[in-house]
C-alpha cells in the first residue's frame, strides 16, 4: 500500500430501513442545494423576489437530469447497447453517468420555461447561475469518488488514486477477499479531484470578474462555459473509461473545443451592462406609488411595502439600469430612463434624464460600483 496515495471508499450504497441510500445521489443533491442558495443570493441582488430560485429549480433540475443522462448514453452507448450491455441500465442514473453538456442544455430548456412563467429574462437567470453551477459540479464529483470511477491514467505521483474492483453482483460495494477489499494494482490520476478543484477555481474566477466588471446579457455565463471547457479539455484526455471516440480522440474533447469557441465568440461579440429588474408595474410617479409610500421607512423592498407587509410576487419584471434600480430601492418610485450624454441635447445635459420613455433592457451605468 502506498501511504501517500488517495484512498477510495469501499462502499457507495448504504441501506436504511431497507431503502438504498446512494452516495452519488447525495452528492448531486448537495450540489443542487448549494447552487440554489448561491443562485438565490445573486437573484436578490438583481431585484428578483425572494425564493424565485425555487421556481426556476423545479423546472431546470428535472430537465437537466434528463438531458445529462441522454448525453451520457449517446456519448457512451457501448455501456448499454454494446456487447454484454443492458439497455435498461440506461435508466439507472444512481450508478453514475451524467453528461454536463446534456445537463446544461436540458437545464436551459427548463430555465426557459420557468423564465416565461415568472416573466424574468433568461439572461438574468444565466448570469446569476454562472458561479453557482461549477460549485454544484464540484460537489457532485465527490459522487464519482464514492463510485470508484472517473479516474485517469496510471501515475506515480504521490497523490495517485487507489481504485477498488467493484462487485457487479453487489452494486455499490467493492469486491472482498478474506474480508479485505480488492484494489487495482496501480495508482491512477484522480481526474474527479482535478475537475473538482478546477470547478471551484472557475466559480471563484467568474464571481470575482463579474463583481468587478458587472457582466450582463449572459456574458458571465459565457465566461463560466469558457473556464469549464478549458479545464475539461485536458482532464478529459487523462481519463481511461470507455467513451465514443473520433480519430482516437474522445468525443467530449471535441465537444469542449466547439463549446469553448462558441462561448468565446459570444463573450467577445455581445455587449451590455448588467441588468437589474423591478416589477413590471413599478410606479414611476409619487401619485402611482403605493398608498403607504410616504412611510418613514427609507428602504423599500421590491417584494414588500414600506410597512413590511407581504406583497404579491410580481407577475413579470422589467429590466432597468443600476441607477434606476438603486433609486427604486430607496424610494419605491422608478425614475425615468438614463440616456447617454451623446444623445442628450446640450441644454438638457445637466438633467441627464429622458422622461416618459420606456425602460430599455440594455441601458445601464457600467461604472457604478456594487457588491454582487
Amino acid at each position: 500500500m502506498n501511504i501517500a496515495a488517495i484512498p477510495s471508499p469501499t462502499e457507495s450504497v448504504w441501506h436504511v430501513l431497507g431503502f438504498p441510500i446512494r452516495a452519488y445521489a447525495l452528492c448531486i443533491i448537495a450540489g443542487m442545494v448549494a447552487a440554489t442558495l448561491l443562485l438565490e443570493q445573486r437573484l436578490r441582488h438583481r431585484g428578483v423576489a425572494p425564493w424565485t430560485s425555487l421556481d426556476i429549480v423545479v423546472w431546470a433540475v428535472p430537465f437537466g437530469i434528463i438531458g445529462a443522462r441522454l448525453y451520457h448514453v449517446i456519448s457512451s452507448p457501448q455501456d448499454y447497447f454494446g456487447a454484454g450491455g443492458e439497455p435498461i441500465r440506461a435508466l439507472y442514473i444512481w450508478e453514475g453517468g451524467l453528461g454536463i453538456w446534456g445537463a446544461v442544455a436540458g437545464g436551459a430548456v427548463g430555465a426557459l420555461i420557468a423564465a416565461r412563467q415568472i416573466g424574468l429574462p433568461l439572461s438574468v437567470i444565466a448570469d446569476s447561475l454562472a458561479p453557482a453551477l461549477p460549485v454544484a459540479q464540484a460537489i457532485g464529483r465527490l459522487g464519482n469518488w464514492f463510485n470508484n470511477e472517473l479516474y485517469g491514467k496510471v501515475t506515480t505521483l504521490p497523490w495517485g488514486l487507489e481504485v477498488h474492483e467493484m462487485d457487479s453482483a453487489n452494486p455499490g460495494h467493492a469486491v472482498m477477499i478474506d474480508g479485505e477489499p480488492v484494489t487495482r494494482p496501480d495508482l491512477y490520476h484522480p481526474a474527479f479531484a482535478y475537475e473538482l478543484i478546477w470547478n471551484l477555481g472557475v466559480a471563484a474566477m467568474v464571481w470575482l470578474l463579474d463583481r468587478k466588471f458587472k457582466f450582463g446579457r449572459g456574458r458571465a455565463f459565457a465566461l463560466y462555459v469558457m473556464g469549464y471547457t478549458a479545464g475539461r479539455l485536458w482532464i478529459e484526455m487523462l481519463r481511461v473509461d470507455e467513451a465514443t471516440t473520433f480519430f482516437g480522440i474522445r468525443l467530449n474533447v471535441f465537444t469542449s473545443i466547439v463549446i469553448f469557441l462558441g462561448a468565446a465568440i459570444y463573450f467577445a461579440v455581445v455587449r451590455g451592462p448588467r441588468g437589474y429588474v423591478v416589477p413590471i408595474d413599478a410606479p414611476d410617479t409619487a401619485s402611482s406609488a403605493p398608498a403607504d409610500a410616504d412611510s418613514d421607512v427609507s428602504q423599500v423592498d421590491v417584494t414588500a411595502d414600506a410597512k413590511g407587509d407581504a406583497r404579491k410576487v410580481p407577475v413579470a419584471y422589467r429590466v432597468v439600469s443600476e441607477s434606476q434600480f438603486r433609486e427604486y430601492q430607496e424610494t419605491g418610485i422608478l425614475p425615468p430612463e438614463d440616456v447617454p450624454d451623446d444623445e442628450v441635447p446640450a441644454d438638457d445635459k445637466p438633467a441627464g434624464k429622458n422622461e416618459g420613455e420606456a425602460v430599455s433592457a440594455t441601458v445601464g451605468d457600467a461604472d457604478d460600483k456594487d457588491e454582487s
Side-chain angles (χ1 to χ4, degrees), residues 38 41-46 127-128 131 206-215 220 274 276 322 326 369-372:
L38 290 171
Q41 184 265 346
R42 287 172 62 82
L43 286 174
R44 290 196 189 189
H45 272 286
R46 287 155 175 77
D127 283 337
S128 299
V206 173
W207 182 77
L208 290 172
L209 291 179
D210 185 47
R211 181 180 180 183
K212 180 177 181 179
F213 297 107
K214 298 186 178 181
F215 298 123
R274 175 186 296 168
Y276 293 81
E322 183 175 354
R326 299 303 177 204
K369 305 297 181 184
D370 123 308
E371 302 294 323
S372 64

Side-chain angles (χ1 to χ4, degrees), residues 163-327:
V163 178
H164 294 106
E165 294 285 358
M166 302 304 286
D167 192 349
S168 59
N170 187 17
H173 296 80
V175 173
M176 307 292 287
I177 296 180
D178 296 331
E180 294 294 328
V182 177
T183 58
R184 298 194 173 190
D186 299 301
L187 299 180
Y188 303 84
H189 280 286
F192 81 91
Y194 295 162
E195 190 167 333
L196 185 158
I197 295 170
W198 185 273
N199 285 338
L200 292 178
V202 169
M205 176 192 70
V206 173
W207 182 77
L208 290 172
L209 291 179
D210 185 47
R211 181 180 180 183
K212 180 177 181 179
F213 297 107
K214 298 186 178 181
F215 298 123
R217 301 184 64 188
R219 296 182 78 220
F221 192 83
L223 184 64
Y224 146 70
V225 172
M226 287 189 290
Y228 176 72
T229 50
R232 185 62 182 264
L233 182 64
W234 66 268
I235 294 172
E236 191 71 28
M237 290 189 287
L238 289 176
R239 293 174 59 171
V240 295
D241 52 308
E242 292 186 3
T244 301
T245 61
F246 291 102
F247 306 107
I249 300 176
R250 296 167 68 94
L251 173 62
N252 282 334
V253 172
F254 290 105
T255 304
S256 295
I257 293 172
V258 171
I259 294 178
F260 176 90
L261 292 175
I265 292 171
Y266 183 92
F267 185 84
V269 171
V270 173
R271 287 289 185 270
R274 175 186 296 168
Y276 293 81
V277 296
V278 298
I280 191 114
D281 57 352
D284 55 9
T285 63
S287 60
S288 61
D292 55 350
D294 57 352
S295 167
D296 59 352
V297 179
S298 61
Q299 284 284 42
V300 178
D301 188 341
V302 297
T303 61
D305 62 22
K307 291 181 178 179
D309 298 328
R311 180 184 293 177
K312 184 178 179 181
V313 174
V315 296
Y317 295 88
R318 60 196 297 186
V319 181
V320 298
S321 69
E322 183 175 354
S323 59
Q324 288 177 295
F325 175 69
R326 299 303 177 204
E327 189 166 342

